[in-house]
Every structure is written in C-alpha cells, then in structure tokens.
Amino acid sequence: ADGSVSAVEICERDPADLAHIPGADPFYQRTCVMVRVPTGSQGNEHYVLDIVRVRGGAWHDYYLHAQGRHCVVDGLTLETLPPGVSLQEASGFSSTEERPTGAGLIRKLEAAETDRALQVTWRDVPDFRGDAPTVDTGVGLRLTMLGGKGTRVYLGEAPGQRRMSNADLGETLRVLCARRPNGQAIDRFVAVLEPFRDEVFVRSVRELQVVEVPEGVDVVAVRVECPGQTDYVVSIAERGGGRNRAVRVPLDGGGSLETDGTLTVLTVRAGRPTGLTVAGGTHASAAGMEVALQPQPHGRLLAFSDRSKTLTVRPDGQWPVEDALHGRTLIIEHDLDTTTFTIDRIEEAVPGGDLVVHLKRTPRLYDNYLSVTQVMGNMLQVEPPPSLRHDFGSREYQVYRVSDGNEGQH
C-alpha cells in the first residue's frame, strides 16, 4: 500500500517530570505525526497533526508563533487589551526583573474566549538572506485547532530578531497562546499545522467518535480532508495501565478502523484506502486492509556516538540485521524522556552479541557534554552549538575536561 506517513514522533512522555506538575493525578504526553499529501505536478505538501494531552496545574497553554508579518484569526473577534500590558501581567503575574523575559515580552495583546475550533494564518514571511530584505508573500503557515471548552485565546507581539548581523533588527513575531483551565479530565490540544505556498490545502479537520473506549486509555481520533486525500488518525495514550487498548472508529460511508496502536493512520484516496500505518501496537485493520505487527525487538542501550551516528545495543533475543529495519523508528526510554530515532542499518559488533545501530541522524543523547571538532588556540569548536538552560546561573564557563572519546583524557 502507498502510505502517506512521512514521520512519526511520540515525544515528551516524562514520568519523572510529572512530579513537578501540581495535582493529585498529573498527566502529560505529546504525539506528532507528519503526513504527506500528493499535489500532482507540484509534488507533495505536508501537514503535521499535533496532539497534546495534559492534566494538572492551574491552566494549560499551547503556544505557536511564526515569522509572518501578517497574522489573521478566523471566526473569532478579538478584543484589544490595554496598551503596554504583557501576557505575563494579563495572566496575573508580576516580575521584579529589570528586563522582561518569556511572557513578559509578549505585548500588544488581543484576546477572546471560545469553545469552538480556531484557525490562525501567518503570511508575508521576511527574507534577510540577500543584500536587502524582501518579503515572500506566497509562503505561509495555518494552524487549525479543534475546539475545547473555556479556551481563552491571546494574540500578541514579541521580539523576532534572529540574525547576529542585525539585518532583522526590530523584527517582531505574532504569537498565539491558547489557554484552558485545568479540570478532572485530560485536556487535549489537537492542532493541524499546515505550511503552504500561495494556497492552503487542508479542507477540514474534525474529531471522530470512538466506539467503546477501554478503561485506562485516552483516545483521540481525527479526520483530516485534503484535495484527493482523506486521513483518519487515531492516537491512544495509556492513562491508567489498561491492557486492552483496542478501539473502533466508524469511517465515512460505512465500515470502521480497528486498532490497538499508539498511533494509526489510514489514508483514503479517490474513495479507496491506499495506506495503513500503525506504531506502538500489534494490529490495525480497515476497509479490507490489515497490518499485524510481529513482537518488537527490545534491548538495552550500552553506548552512543555522535561522530559515527551509532547506538550500541545489547539485544534481548534476535534482531534483524543489515537493512531489514531500514527506515523504521527506534524508541529509547530513559530516565527523563522518550527519544525516537530513524534506523539506517544494523550490524553485529560481535557475532551473536551486541549490535551497532546506524542512525540517519546524530543521536545527541548527552546532557552537558559537547563534541569538540576543532581546537583553535584557547577556543574549542563544538558540535552541536551549545543550547543552555535559561536558569544556568553564571554566564561564565570553564572547560574542566576534554576527552578523546576513548580512554585518553587531555
């Protein structure tokens, strides 16, 4: 079958971080899937379905910004808030910082409340790569978010300078914040992100009914319609350790999609199913198509190398080697997070023993470690460029150890 799923990531399942969320039964999970939409002679378009589940705290915010200078909210009348009020202040917080940060930088606010679906479109993206800045009027980004009870929408302006050359000095960004109060049920932000050129291509997004939701799971089912293609996406999240995860979702024109997968995507073109993708489950079936997954290989991560883009794994049982798992997703669960990688190929480090998994991209699993690629006097060139936490304290750093990656240290 001709599948349309280009990328899947089930991310930020952080059990340890739940301890920092107030509430008796906190929950957090985010699932993203990128879907390809063929557009004839123009090639392919892509959209991303973003599902955020959360419970705990006082309220939940979904943020999105884009570089477009022109931003329009459809189907909602926004009220202009008093000049000079920041989102931080509008949220009831004050700050003693001399220079504002975070939500304190988002000003020129407009706001409204709604329970209905929301669409926001950014257009007119500035381009500073040439000698003089230009504006690309054809490129844009549209957000379509399903409705949620008690959603308060903020649209504000924040600093948008990104270039060290100061070519974009004074540039600003239009920032969206969708906010909902915490409740007993899991809160779901379900959004389609649609980058486009000239014309948008997603015709409709709607939530689907799920038949007989098993105890201990949370299910989101969405129908996304585009020209020539309709996708049915089902996302299942465990919230109470339920073992039976199988659900059934009725389809247009009769029939149903049945699955126990963490994520399932059914693609229909010209009224005929052409692709069925399932991740994190054992089976999925719809309209005469069926996917039955074999038991997934498991193992323990022993080491990784950013330089060679490899993981060293001690397998539990037999793993397919060479190119058998090329393009498949490898999921690593560690103390604070869940990380996904795309497999290139697998080879045996020793026959019948540990495996070397070659990845399509650099793993970068370390924390507070950088790979030194060149020494220039008293300067170190590192990869990747350091990304520092905002609460690191001192702005001065000292290199206390440089390792050659083996036993030697210098």
Side-chain angles (χ1 to χ4, degrees), residues 8 10 13 234-238 243-247 258-265 277-285 291-298 328-329 331:
V8 175
I10 303 159
R13 298 175 62 183
V234 180
S235 169
I236 300 177
E238 296 183 11
R243 293 185 177 274
N244 175 26
R245 305 197 322 172
V247 300
E258 298 184 15
T259 180
D260 69 350
T262 301
L263 185 78
T264 305
V265 181
T277 302
V278 61
T282 63
H283 73 275
S285 61
V291 174
L293 300 181
Q294 299 298 321
Q296 300 300 302
H298 290 78
R328 297 283 294 274
T329 300
I331 302 176

Side-chain angles (χ1 to χ4, degrees), residues 232 234 248-251 254-259 264-268 272-277 283-291:
Y232 298 86
V234 180
R248 183 164 60 89
V249 179
L251 302 175
S256 62
L257 167 62
E258 298 184 15
T259 180
T264 305
V265 181
L266 170 68
T267 297
V268 177
R272 185 176 65 87
T274 59
L276 180 61
T277 302
H283 73 275
S285 61
M289 302 182 70
E290 184 172 0
V291 174

Side-chain angles (χ1 to χ4, degrees), residues 175-228:
V175 181
L176 168 77
C177 171
R179 173 174 296 172
R180 296 177 189 155
N182 180 54
Q184 293 184 349
I186 292 176
D187 190 10
R188 306 162 173 172
F189 291 95
V190 181
V192 169
L193 309 180
E194 174 192 0
F196 64 89
R197 174 164 289 284
D198 297 327
E199 297 294 337
V200 296
F201 59 91
V202 174
R203 290 178 174 172
S204 67
V205 181
R206 63 179 174 89
E207 192 165 7
L208 299 173
Q209 178 187 5
V210 182
V211 178
E212 297 178 359
V213 177
E215 183 179 357
V217 300
D218 183 79
V219 185
V220 173
V222 180
R223 177 186 184 274
V224 181
E225 181 183 357
C226 302

